[in-house]
């Protein structure tokens, strides 16, 4: 089977809400020598994008998305430890990662967090639905360290909270003590510029590249 066919199998397992099939396709892709990150980015994530488009077009409903997300998470259980085993760089800084308040979409957040951890960042993962006050508390706890905030928002509503995070950091006199990279499907370069963050990224590999650049 070609790499393209393995990626299609992964994609289709997500699109067809086939949890067992997704686990099976993941194991087979690894056995065939496909890199864990490629399996995610070129297979599974493509499937999630299709699911999102189908939901938007009212071709599928929330329960379908939930099963696709379960399939994605089942595959990530297998792939994440392999990404974590890939440590090459050390001591680049501390990444405080989180999903904005009101938002529980964690697939992209987990992916970005894992990839940053695999590339030398010390990770403090605050999880999902994180209030701005919690982010501030964590920065204060870690003052003196080289910190990058890595926030995700998947909804236009939660994305607005990113502006409040930066406002609060400014009010608390903490803005200059952290770098800020924000992402998630609705986040654009224009938004990053408007709210005064330091960068954004399209996907997890790009997030590593941007984070390393910002932290230099
Ligand atoms: Co959800 N949902 N959902 N959802 N959902 C979206 C996000 C919509 C866009 C779907 C749509 O309408 N087209 C939509 C938001 C609309 C909007 O605001 N514009 C939506 C909605 C409305 C909702 C609910 C409100 C539905 C409801 O209840 N009526 C509800 C919200 C619950 C809440 O958060 N309070 C809801 C629930 C769900 C679940 C639970 C069924 C499930 C989440 C499961 C989970 O995460 N554990 C879900 C899912 C899966 C999606 C879609 C289909 C996929 C999201 C996803 O996982 N993508 C999504 C459609 C879409 O996004 N097009 C849909 C795959 C990952 C790999 O991509 O973009 O998250 P990513 O991350 C990338 C990238 O952005 C970047 O790298 C990542 C890795 O490549 N990145 C960063 C991410 N974070 C970064 C941070 C950085 O600093 C840098 C880069």
């Amino acid at each position: 089977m070609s790499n393209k066919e393995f990626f299609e199998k992964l994609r289709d397992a997500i699109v067809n809400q086939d949890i067992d099939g997704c686990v099976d396709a993941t194991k087979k892709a690894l056995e065939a020598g496909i890199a864990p990150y490629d399996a995610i980015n070129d297979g599974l994530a493509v499937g999630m994008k299709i699911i999102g488009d189908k939901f938007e077009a009212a071709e599928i409903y929330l329960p379908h998305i939930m099963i696709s997300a379960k399939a994605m998470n089942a595959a990530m259980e297998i792939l994440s430890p392999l990404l974590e085993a890939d440590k090459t760089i050390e001591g680049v800084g501390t990444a405080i990662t989180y999903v904005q308040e009101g938002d529980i979409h964690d697939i992209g957040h987990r992916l970005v967090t894992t990839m940053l951890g695999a590339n030398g960042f010390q990770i403090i993962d605050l999880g999902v639905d994180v209030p701005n006050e919690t982010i501030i508390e964590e920065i204060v706890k870690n003052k003196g360290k080289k910190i990058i905030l890595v926030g995700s928002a998947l909804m236009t509503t939660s994305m607005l909270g990113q502006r409040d995070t930066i406002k609060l950091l400014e009010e608390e006199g903490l803005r200059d003590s952290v770098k800020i990279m924000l992402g998630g499907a609705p986040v654009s370069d224009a938004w990053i510029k408007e709210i005064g963050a330091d960068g954004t990224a399209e996907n997890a590999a790009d997030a590593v590249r941007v984070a390393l650049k910002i932290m230099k």
Side-chain angles (χ1 to χ4, degrees):
M1 221 195 294
S2 68
N3 282 10
K4 187 168 168 273
E5 285 169 311
F6 279 110
F7 295 142
E8 284 168 0
K9 286 238 179 265
L10 291 163
R11 178 200 67 195
D12 293 348
I14 295 285
V15 172
N16 297 327
Q17 292 106 43
D18 181 0
I19 300 175
D20 291 343
C22 194
V23 168
D24 189 52
T26 302
K27 287 181 180 162
K28 290 205 169 111
L30 289 174
E31 278 162 22
I34 289 179
Y37 184 72
D38 293 344
I40 296 166
N41 206 41
D42 298 337
L44 302 166
V46 177
M48 286 309 298
K49 167 85 180 70
I50 294 171
I51 282 293
D53 293 345
K54 280 177 177 281
F55 181 67
E56 217 159 318
E59 287 172 28
I60 57 165
Y61 298 97
L62 212 53
H64 302 112
I65 298 191
M66 288 173 90
I67 302 171
S68 291
K70 272 194 183 155
M72 176 94 188
N73 283 337
M76 288 297 291
E77 294 281 313
I78 300 169
L79 295 168
S80 293
L82 303 176
L83 292 170
E84 276 159 7
D86 211 20
K87 285 189 196 274
T88 48
I89 313 164
E90 273 177 30
V92 284
T94 299
I96 299 180
T97 71
Y98 60 91
V99 181
Q100 205 73 37
E101 186 168 19
D103 196 332
I104 59 155
H105 294 89
D106 71 346
I107 295 173
H109 155 78
R110 284 167 44 163
L111 198 44
V112 169
T113 300
T114 303
M115 286 293 285
L116 290 174
N119 282 274
F121 283 88
Q122 191 202 331
I123 300 294
I124 298 173
D125 183 352
L126 300 179
V128 299
D129 188 16
V130 179
N132 285 327
E133 292 70 22
T134 306
I135 300 168
I136 299 288
E137 275 167 27
E138 204 57 46
I139 294 171
V140 171
K141 256 194 247 166
N142 287 279
K143 224 172 166 195
K145 289 186 187 166
K146 219 173 143 192
I147 297 173
I148 181 167
L149 286 188
V150 181
S152 305
L154 262 288
M155 301 188 291
T156 40
T157 45
S158 55
M159 187 184 80
L160 295 177
Q162 296 179 331
R163 188 206 304 269
D164 301 333
T165 310
I166 295 180
K167 262 197 203 152
L168 194 57
L169 282 169
E170 282 164 356
E171 281 165 23
E172 300 285 332
L174 291 169
R175 174 63 187 96
D176 292 338
S177 55
V178 293
K179 300 289 182 184
I180 307 176
M181 176 175 72
L182 303 172
V187 175
S188 64
D189 286 328
W191 173 248
I192 291 299
K193 215 169 158 197
E194 183 183 329
I195 64 174
D198 297 308
T200 183
E202 284 283 315
N203 55 46
D206 195 30
V208 171
R209 189 186 56 75
V210 171
L212 289 172
K213 191 171 162 212
I214 289 176
M215 293 297 265
K216 266 193 183 152

